[in-house]
Amino acid sequence: MARYIAFDIGDKRIGVAVSDPFNSYALPSHTYFRKGLNTDIAALVAIAKEKGATAIVCGLPLNSDGSESQQTEKTRFFIDRLEQATELPVYTADERYTSAVAHEELYASGKNSRQHKNYVDALAAASILDGFLSSLKN
């Protein structure tokens, strides 16, 4: 059975989430703090392997109207490099509003804004993966 890992790729951090064994829901894993392109790519490939992933889902940042931005281009470049470094299939998924929802969840749980950077990206990755898993079911 497939096991998915999702990455919410930012300029400073990358959120990581994995699917449950039955691909019913996503579990936030952790936040990876970026060090440099080649190091980051190698780290994500290693994380995917460690988690037993058979496929990778990367969030694609789009503008609210669905158009692409400079951040979309940067993310696509990173995803292309990731695809070259792994033998796993790599999918993209719309990540609009996932960080905003993650921040709301953190405020609701009592975390202050300084604590968010340790959690927000993993929660956003879980949201990206939940959306992807839902689309597989439909």
Side-chain angles (χ1 to χ4, degrees):
M1 176 176 269
R3 181 87 188 257
Y4 294 92
I5 190 165
F7 298 124
D8 177 34
I9 303 161
D11 290 333
K12 296 181 181 182
R13 299 179 306 271
I14 298 173
V16 181
V18 294
S19 64
D20 72 295
F22 305 104
N23 295 318
S24 299
Y25 55 89
L27 303 161
S29 177
H30 66 283
T31 299
Y32 170 82
F33 289 82
R34 296 193 61 175
K35 297 165 180 61
L37 181 62
N38 293 332
T39 302
D40 298 343
I41 295 293
L44 295 192
V45 170
I47 292 167
K49 184 175 183 177
E50 170 194 322
K51 299 289 186 185
T54 60
I56 297 171
V57 179
C58 295
L60 196 60
L62 300 170
N63 291 320
S64 58
D65 65 0
S67 64
E68 295 196 2
S69 66
Q70 183 178 2
Q71 191 65 32
T72 311
E73 290 177 31
K74 288 167 52 175
T75 303
R76 281 193 191 281
F77 174 80
F78 187 93
I79 292 168
D80 287 344
R81 292 291 301 272
L82 181 61
E83 282 182 302
Q84 293 169 14
T86 184
E87 295 179 9
L88 299 177
V90 178
Y91 303 98
T92 59
D94 185 350
E95 70 167 47
R96 281 180 285 182
Y97 309 113
T98 57
S99 292
V101 170
H103 279 291
E104 288 176 18
E105 289 177 26
L106 289 168
Y107 281 121
S109 71
K111 300 263 190 275
N112 66 43
S113 58
R114 281 190 319 213
Q115 295 170 309
H116 285 205
K117 73 177 179 181
N118 293 322
Y119 305 102
V120 70
D121 301 295
L123 286 173
S127 182
I128 291 163
L129 186 53
D130 272 331
F132 181 82
L133 294 172
S134 291
S135 72
L136 292 179
K137 294 174 191 168
N138 296 334

